[in-house]
Amino acid sequence: MKDEEKLIFNNLKEQYIHFGLPADGIDEKTDFAIHNLKDVHTILPYQSLIFRPNFFSFVFVKNGYGRYTTDELVFDTVPGTIYFTNPGHYKSYNWHKIEEIYLITLSESFLKENVHKDIFEEFPFLLAETVQPRVLSSDAFSEFEQLYLLINKEYQNHSAYRNRIIGNLFVVLLLKIKEYFWKDYNPIYEGNRSSQIVKEFKRMLEKHYRDLGNGLIEKAYRVQDYADAQSLHPNYLSNVIKIKTGKPIGTWITEKTISEARALLQNSTIAIKEIAYRLGFSESTHFSNYFKKHTGLSPVLFRKQHIAATS
């Protein structure tokens, strides 16, 4: 899969541009997008290349037919299908009929900043490695349709409160998904040994950075610490994570560090020096350089821009 491994996209606009699909309706200013696939796939049938997105996807098929592939999972999409994937999986899809199929994509940062700061604690099914699709009756599906159409309306409305409104509506959407499908779901107990290793690592990573952000612990974990917690050799853990998710363990840790840093800069008045310390940096200058390397902005400028956008 050498050529296919190069098809890694950080957002939907990047993916659509690469695939030669219209991307004008996708706002670059937010890590969130929603649209009816009918407006994108004007020529059918359509078969995508194999790719790996670094964002969450939610598909709501009111009226359409096709086929989805996520890693080893292959299924037909029919009216009433609801399906989602999280970052790191290899995917492809084809469509041969589309009337109303809404796709929502969003980043982990958007989830934490606008939906729920403890998003994976409240909705653990989002950590599921591979999720089986669900097909609902038309009455049950209509409950979700009302929500995603409201979200779409707000997405088209470029108000100063757009992300907050979308975030609150998305909480309701996730609660409905939890109510219908995953009320008692615990992703840690699903799958084979490798899958359990990945899920436990994700759970630990999320809890550890939440505790760091809340100031409950002082030391950032190393790969060795995550390995020791599961009684594994660090090289073995690293190999399992890379093979199963497509991302090195260091990338998972980096992305989590940046996500938590963004959340703290946006949602608190904690001094940048204190944020650096909480996230395991001995010097605030090291944190500032690290943050700028991965976001293009210094922590100071990132916070100023957020304040200006919300004031």
Side-chain angles (χ1 to χ4, degrees):
M1 197 180 287
K2 290 184 179 180
D3 292 334
E4 295 164 353
E5 285 179 346
K6 297 177 183 178
L7 296 182
I8 300 173
F9 304 114
N10 293 316
N11 57 65
L12 187 65
K13 187 155 193 170
E14 190 178 288
Q15 175 191 323
Y16 277 6
I17 290 172
H18 185 93
F19 288 171
L21 297 169
D24 295 342
I26 300 173
D27 189 348
E28 292 180 316
K29 297 179 181 179
T30 180
D31 293 331
F32 181 96
I34 178 171
H35 60 284
N36 187 351
L37 293 183
K38 186 177 183 179
D39 299 328
V40 173
H41 296 291
T42 56
I43 300 175
L44 297 174
Y46 178 84
Q47 174 64 58
S48 79
L49 299 171
I50 298 173
F51 64 101
R52 181 164 67 80
N54 284 331
F55 49 85
F56 289 84
S57 298
F58 292 77
V59 180
F60 302 90
V61 183
K62 180 180 181 180
N63 189 357
Y65 294 87
R67 174 166 291 188
Y68 237 90
T69 300
T70 302
D71 298 333
E72 292 82 25
L73 176 66
V74 181
F75 64 93
D76 292 325
T77 46
V78 298
T81 300
I82 293 178
Y83 180 63
F84 83 87
T85 57
N86 50 33
H89 300 283
Y90 286 102
K91 297 169 59 176
S92 67
Y93 57 86
N94 70 61
W95 298 111
H96 52 266
K97 179 182 178 182
I98 299 175
E99 290 299 329
E100 185 177 306
I101 302 175
Y102 270 81
L103 171 66
I104 294 176
T105 62
L106 66 169
S107 68
E108 179 179 325
S109 294
F110 187 93
L111 282 168
K112 290 200 162 185
E113 292 163 16
N114 300 286
V115 180
H116 198 300
K117 66 187 180 89
D118 296 328
I119 187 72
F120 302 121
E121 188 78 10
E122 177 70 16
F123 304 107
F125 58 82
L126 291 173
L127 293 175
E129 188 174 348
T130 302
V131 176
Q132 292 288 337
R134 301 295 198 276
V135 179
L136 302 184
S137 68
S138 58
D139 288 343
F141 188 88
S142 66
E143 295 185 41
F144 291 91
E145 182 185 15
Q146 293 175 43
L147 287 168
Y148 67 67
L149 289 179
L150 273 174
I151 291 172
N152 184 58
K153 179 182 177 182
E154 293 301 329
Y155 182 69
Q156 304 303 326
N157 179 17
H158 295 266
S159 77
Y161 305 105
R162 180 178 65 168
N163 285 357
R164 290 181 62 187
I165 294 171
I166 289 175
N168 281 281
L169 288 170
F170 205 78
V171 169
V172 181
L173 186 66
L174 290 175
L175 286 169
K176 294 303 294 185
I177 290 174
K178 188 175 182 179
E179 177 187 17
Y180 270 87
F181 306 136
W182 291 284
K183 184 177 181 180
D184 301 315
Y185 179 76
N186 189 333
I188 305 304
Y189 302 121
E190 177 192 65
N192 58 29
R193 174 58 175 155
S194 293
S195 297
Q196 291 172 2
I197 288 171
V198 172
K199 295 183 185 78
E200 180 63 15
F201 166 71
K202 288 181 179 180
R203 186 194 67 79
M204 286 184 59
L205 185 71
E206 172 60 27
K207 183 178 186 304
H208 178 64
Y209 274 84
R210 184 170 65 251
D211 289 346
L212 276 174
N214 291 331
L216 300 178
I217 54 177
E218 297 182 354
K219 182 182 176 183
Y221 279 179
R222 303 163 300 161
V223 175
Q224 182 72 58
D225 298 312
Y226 289 106
D228 289 345
Q230 296 196 61
S231 300
L232 301 172
H233 190 282
N235 290 344
Y236 179 74
L237 174 64
S238 297
N239 287 337
V240 169
I241 298 299
K242 178 65 167 65
I243 291 170
K244 295 291 287 184
T245 72
K247 288 196 295 187
I249 193 169
T251 301
W252 279 99
I253 294 171
T254 296
E255 290 177 353
K256 185 63 68 176
T257 302
I258 294 299
S259 176
E260 291 300 322
R262 289 177 59 169
L264 286 170
L265 288 166
Q266 288 189 326
N267 301 320
S268 76
T269 57
I270 300 172
I272 290 173
K273 182 177 181 180
E274 174 64 19
I275 291 175
Y277 178 75
R278 288 192 184 188
L279 294 179
F281 293 86
S282 57
E283 299 288 340
S284 59
T285 53
H286 295 164
F287 167 65
S288 295
N289 292 336
Y290 182 89
F291 188 84
K292 186 172 183 179
K293 176 183 176 182
H294 292 286
T295 66
L297 297 172
S298 69
V300 172
L301 184 56
F302 180 85
R303 178 173 268 176
K304 283 182 178 179
Q305 287 189 357
H306 173 69
I307 293 171
T310 55
S311 60

